Amino acid sequence: MTTGSDEPNELRELRLEVAALRTQLARHTAQTEEYRRRLVASRNQAERYAAQLKALRSSSSWAITRPLRMRRRKALNNGWT
């Protein structure tokens, strides 16, 4: 059983623990926000790359070079270099 003189020490320790936990929570919250920011940036970059790829595959140069790509692919599949 605690005495009356122990309660202020225990209360002080609990307050210190709460303060430490709040600090830890603030740090983790900041990290989470940074991860979310990076995720959004990565998704935006992926969308830009997808649009660039779509534009490339829709281009006339892609259509014109198709026979060359097919020939190269066939040669590689047959073991030619």
Side-chain angles (χ1 to χ4, degrees):
M1 180 173 186
T2 61
T3 63
S5 63
D6 290 338
E7 287 183 22
N9 286 335
E10 185 178 344
L11 184 58
R12 187 177 326 113
E13 288 175 17
L14 289 173
R15 285 183 177 155
L16 289 173
E17 185 178 349
V18 167
L21 289 171
R22 284 183 177 157
T23 300
Q24 187 179 14
L25 177 61
R27 189 176 27 151
H28 288 299
T29 300
Q31 286 177 340
T32 300
E33 289 305 314
E34 175 62 17
Y35 294 146
R36 283 185 182 153
R37 186 192 65 74
R38 289 181 185 182
L39 178 61
V40 168
S42 294
R43 285 180 177 164
N44 290 340
Q45 186 177 30
E47 288 175 8
R48 286 191 303 273
Y49 288 155
Q52 288 175 353
L53 183 59
K54 183 178 179 181
L56 172 72
R57 289 187 173 163
S58 300
S59 69
S60 56
S61 63
W62 187 259
I64 291 169
T65 59
R66 185 174 191 268
L68 296 173
R69 290 192 313 277
M70 293 299 120
R71 183 180 298 225
R72 183 170 189 269
R73 185 174 297 137
K74 184 177 179 182
L76 290 175
N77 286 339
N78 288 334
W80 299 354
T81 56

